[in-house]
Amino acid sequence: MLRTRIIPCLQLLDQNLVKTIQFKRPSYIGDFANTARIFNELEVDELCLLGIRNTRNKTTPDFKVLKQVANECFMPLSYGGGIQDFETAKRILAMGFEKVVLNSASFRNPQLITKISEYFGSQSLIVSIDVKKGLFGRERVYSCSGTRTERYSALEWAKSVEEKGAGEILPTSINQEGTWEGFDIGLVSRIANAVNIPVIASGGAGTLMHMLDAIKKGEADAVLAASIFHYEIFSIKQVKEYLKNEGVSVRI
């Protein structure tokens, strides 16, 4: 049985560590390098870095920042934001990152999914899917930091990227992101039951029960969270001990 991963997330904007609410109003919360070092000392399962405005602002990843993190941290690392071509993905993976995360580029250049997967292996590639519900509950998939509507449903796109070679899927509820009100369990569950690759729940973690629900009810293979760790509401150890006591297999 595979162990459930708990993945802290660092949102990067102009070399600053920030936190958003529903993909908007990024607020400065600290130094990214120091925060990454702290998570490294805690030996977290994996650390995810996201350049939240790179694609929207048409900027490339900050390789200086990524190199610094890769040189100082020894846990598995993933990065997404501004990756538009194979050479950029290759450069990031060569730095020591285990995985790259694609979102906007997966729509504009879907063959990039297959190329990365075939060259580095599907385990090196996460495709994120950002979903927002409208006034009447209709779901829409977005790219470019939640500013561009795509024509696919979340399930359609999840199945499509799996076929193209994605190794994991990261569905994020834009409505829930940064609210501390819990994950969109329905979204996570539908995708988890539609694909045969790991699914990482994202967007809305605020309590230990939210984490458990994502795993038990949403059938997520991993849980990604930011606010509860940045604001020290819970520690990684507290989350894992709680989940272990509830029968979830985690690495202590």
Side-chain angles (χ1 to χ4, degrees):
M1 180 179 179
L2 293 176
R3 291 174 175 172
T4 301
R5 291 165 291 147
I6 308 302
I7 307 173
C9 177
L10 304 184
Q11 295 180 324
L12 305 179
L13 179 61
D14 300 327
Q15 296 191 353
N16 293 315
L17 178 61
V18 301
K19 188 66 195 77
T20 56
I21 299 175
Q22 297 179 330
F23 283 31
K24 300 175 182 177
R25 306 189 299 279
S27 57
Y28 175 81
I29 58 172
D31 176 70
F32 79 88
N34 185 56
T35 304
R37 290 188 200 104
I38 291 172
F39 282 128
N40 184 60
E41 292 171 1
L42 294 173
E43 298 182 344
V44 300
D45 297 321
E46 186 174 325
L47 182 64
C48 180
L49 287 76
L50 298 177
I52 63 170
R53 293 287 189 270
N54 289 88
T55 298
R56 182 170 164 180
N57 296 338
K58 299 181 180 179
T59 56
T60 58
D62 191 324
F63 296 108
K64 182 179 179 180
V65 167
L66 300 185
K67 187 66 174 177
Q68 182 179 350
V69 174
N71 286 342
E72 296 184 2
C73 298
F74 301 98
M75 69 282 207
L77 299 168
S78 58
Y79 173 79
I83 302 172
Q84 301 298 324
D85 54 50
F86 178 77
E87 290 306 317
T88 300
K90 184 177 181 180
R91 183 175 177 182
I92 293 169
L93 292 169
M95 287 180 178
F97 281 74
E98 277 73 21
K99 304 171 187 178
V100 290
V101 184
L102 297 184
N103 184 292
S104 300
S106 66
F107 297 101
R108 310 284 86 78
N109 185 16
Q111 63 269 28
L112 181 60
I113 299 172
T114 304
K115 189 170 183 179
I116 293 173
S117 178
E118 290 181 346
Y119 193 90
F120 295 103
S122 62
Q123 80 287 340
S124 68
L125 180 59
I126 301 170
V127 173
S128 70
I129 304 176
D130 299 333
V131 181
K132 184 177 181 180
K133 289 181 180 178
L135 291 176
F136 300 103
R138 182 182 179 185
E139 290 182 346
R140 290 184 179 274
V141 174
Y142 285 79
S143 61
C144 295
S145 300
T147 62
R148 179 168 181 166
T149 309
E150 300 297 340
R151 63 186 179 87
Y152 302 91
S153 71
L155 286 186
E156 287 173 339
W157 192 237
K159 293 176 182 177
S160 179
V161 299
E162 179 184 26
E163 292 173 358
K164 289 176 172 62
E168 296 183 76
I169 294 177
L170 174 65
T172 300
S173 167
I174 297 176
N175 303 81
Q176 299 299 108
E177 191 269 336
T179 66
W180 302 35
E181 294 178 354
F183 299 97
D184 184 334
I185 300 300
L187 172 66
V188 176
S189 177
R190 290 195 301 276
I191 292 179
N193 282 284
V195 300
N196 296 304
I197 55 178
V199 171
I200 306 168
S202 170
T207 69
L208 296 173
M209 182 63 76
H210 291 159
M211 301 282 213
L212 182 64
D213 285 346
I215 298 161
K216 292 282 191 175
K217 297 179 181 179
E219 300 182 58
D221 300 275
V223 177
L224 181 144
S227 297
I228 64 170
F229 298 132
H230 295 323
Y231 298 112
E232 300 181 341
I233 306 303
F234 299 107
S235 67
I236 298 291
K237 183 179 180 180
Q238 284 177 304
V239 172
K240 288 190 173 183
E241 288 181 345
Y242 171 80
L243 293 176
K244 182 180 180 180
N245 289 336
E246 293 294 332
V248 177
S249 177
V250 293
R251 182 177 69 88
I252 300 294

